[in-house]
Amino acid sequence: MLAGWILAVSAFVGLMAGVLIGSVGVGGIIIVPILVELPDIDIHVAIAAAMFSYIFVGIAGGIAYSRKKIIQWGSVIWLLIGATPGAFVGAFTLQYVSSMAIKMILYSLVLATSVFSLYNTLRERYISTKREGSSGLLSESPSSPELNSSDEPWNTLQGRVLRLVIGCVTGFASAITGTSGPVVLLPILFLCKWDVLNAAGSAQMIQFPIAVAATLAQVFLSDGVDFALGACIAAGLSPGAFIGAAIAFAVKADTLKLVISIILVVAAIFLIGKLIYTEEHSAGNQGGNKTMSIF
């Protein structure tokens, strides 16, 4: 059993992450790096506990967004259905493929899509500002069309299949990289021109099936879950998500999208740097006696 002060610190870390998750959709990546710096918590314990805690923040964030009538359940449900088997397959794949190779590829993909999304957002703001300055009239934002209302409606076969694929990819990538879902899903939804608040709400909801699948994998295929630690993280995450959601609704949509894009870029760089550092540190501790296998 971990010391009481460690559990208290874990709850505070969860609160900080929850505010970030609720407001900009991404924040869970700070949990594991901070937890592993505490005594008696190794990386496997931290990841398992964090994934368990995401179950509750997914529920809390989803409720917060649904109360504002942001989430279109007919659309989101197909993302959730796709995410569940994707997460199971991702957890299964981890047993046979080097996590270093897969994480590097996926983090690089997140970085690339996030940079593109950031460029798109800045370009749209520049064009909008230029048009307003020249005509004095508000122009229609090119980012306003969203996937579920224009390009691929959820009530068509093509729209549903697309959402299943997006959900499956997100679940697979999240389970393999140890993230809760938004860091993978948000860049994809931005590229598909989803409304920013609808995208953030969908990212909240997809955490639930991914977290449940990953937790079950930890219980049945690994060393189990420290439920006490996970509960303390969740105790901070859940109220933090509500606080963050309130912040999100108080900020202009284009400003929120810019903030999310910047955080995604920083998150991807952080994950890549942490991954490289962890592997080099591990290789140094082993004294070069072991060679990492990619496959």
Side-chain angles (χ1 to χ4, degrees), residues 43-44 47 94 97-105 107 176-177 270-295:
I43 187 70
H44 300 93
I47 290 175
L94 271 179
V97 183
S98 165
S99 60
M100 169 64 175
I102 296 178
K103 287 181 179 181
M104 183 59 72
I105 293 172
Y107 292 163
I176 263 186
T177 58
F270 170 79
L271 289 170
I272 292 173
K274 180 177 180 293
L275 187 62
I276 294 173
Y277 170 79
T278 301
E279 290 299 322
E280 289 180 350
H281 185 68
S282 175
N285 288 340
Q286 294 171 2
N289 292 329
K290 277 180 141 184
T291 303
M292 185 188 69
S293 173
I294 294 182
F295 297 100

Side-chain angles (χ1 to χ4, degrees), residues 28-58:
I29 63 164
I30 74 172
I31 294 177
V32 173
I34 295 177
L35 290 184
V36 295
E37 299 300 322
L38 299 175
D40 304 322
I41 301 180
D42 65 26
I43 187 70
H44 300 93
V45 172
I47 290 175
M51 294 306 297
F52 171 69
S53 70
Y54 295 149
I55 295 174
F56 304 97
V57 74

Side-chain angles (χ1 to χ4, degrees), residues 245-271:
I247 295 174
F249 294 119
V251 179
K252 292 175 60 177
D254 60 340
T255 301
L256 183 61
K257 186 174 181 180
L258 178 62
V259 172
I260 293 177
S261 299
I262 293 174
I263 289 181
L264 285 170
V265 172
V266 173
I269 294 174
F270 170 79
L271 289 170

Side-chain angles (χ1 to χ4, degrees), residues 13 46 52 66 80 92 96 112 115 122 131 147 151 182 184-185 190 205 211 229 242 249 260-261 273 283 290 292:
V13 171
F52 171 69
S66 62
L80 306 186
F92 178 78
Y96 303 101
V115 169
L122 292 174
R131 286 177 178 173
L147 183 64
D151 296 335
V184 177
L185 181 62
F190 283 169
M205 292 305 304
L229 177 60
F242 281 105
F249 294 119
I260 293 177
S261 299
K290 277 180 141 184
M292 185 188 69

